Amino acid sequence: MRSVRNKKTGLHYWHDFSWDISVKDAFPEFLEKYQRRIKRLYDDIEKANNVLFVFEDMSCNMPISTIKNAIQILKTSFSNKNINLLIVLPISTKDEYQEIKLGINNVYAVACLKHDNDYSAEVVFLKKIMTKFLGLDYFSFSCDKEITSIKL
């Protein structure tokens, strides 16, 4: 697979385009797949009261202003829902998990140990994080690989 970058948004798509077919030819299937995923995301959020969006910040460089803007957009877009944002940062210390205080309502940050470009014991990681948010109806995890949604 090859990486394709959206010039307008700057997003990279790492796992959607093969080398043996042109981007132009692969694009209709790619577009249909993401439209289907986005519709399912919106449908699931519509059914929920409490929603947690999880974003993996691999750069550890996201400005606080961007985080504040993101939570505001989410709250405005889903004004009848209890919206929370969890930012996950990789760390390379002996600690496997640390909570970070950001001082922004409904925004949480954690740092987790990573090995070989994957979270160590991902299930343990999710359990540790999600125990804090057991009252949530919907969980969406966005990272550099794909979006995974889990109905709790």
Side-chain angles (χ1 to χ4, degrees):
M1 296 306 232
R2 64 177 158 175
S3 169
V4 174
R5 182 178 169 270
N6 182 317
K7 291 178 183 178
K8 183 177 179 182
T9 65
L11 292 175
H12 284 263
Y13 297 91
W14 302 98
H15 305 284
D16 295 295
F17 296 94
S18 168
W19 283 105
D20 58 349
I21 185 170
S22 72
V23 172
K24 182 180 179 181
D25 290 340
F27 189 77
E29 184 178 335
F30 163 83
L31 182 62
E32 190 273 327
K33 176 175 79 172
Y34 279 91
Q35 286 174 332
R36 187 177 62 245
R37 287 180 175 183
I38 291 167
K39 181 186 180 321
R40 185 173 56 238
L41 174 68
Y42 275 84
D43 289 347
D44 287 345
I45 290 171
E46 184 60 34
K47 297 172 195 171
N49 292 317
N50 301 295
V51 180
L52 173 65
F53 289 92
V54 179
F55 178 76
E56 180 182 29
D57 181 11
M58 294 303 298
S59 68
C60 297
N61 199 19
M62 186 182 300
I64 292 292
S65 60
T66 300
I67 297 168
K68 287 180 178 179
N69 189 42
I71 192 67
Q72 188 57 48
I73 289 169
L74 290 170
K75 285 182 173 186
T76 300
S77 298
F78 305 106
S79 58
N80 61 337
K81 308 294 178 185
N82 178 28
I83 300 295
N84 295 276
L85 175 62
L86 175 65
I87 300 166
V88 180
L89 307 160
I91 57 173
S92 56
T93 67
K94 62 182 178 124
D95 298 324
E96 288 192 22
Y97 172 85
Q98 297 172 353
E99 286 191 38
I100 301 165
K101 303 289 184 198
L102 293 178
I104 306 170
N105 288 340
N106 297 82
V107 178
Y108 309 90
V110 294
C112 299
L113 184 63
K114 285 191 78 154
H115 296 285
D116 300 325
N117 293 325
D118 203 3
Y119 282 101
S120 61
E122 187 172 325
V123 173
V124 173
F125 158 74
L126 287 174
K127 284 182 180 178
K128 283 182 180 180
I129 304 261
M130 296 314 295
T131 54
K132 186 166 187 151
F133 302 101
L134 282 176
L136 298 178
D137 302 308
Y138 189 77
F139 168 69
S140 176
F141 184 79
S142 173
C143 65
D144 58 353
K145 296 177 187 168
E146 63 182 74
I147 295 176
T148 303
S149 302
I150 302 168
K151 179 76 172 148
L152 298 176

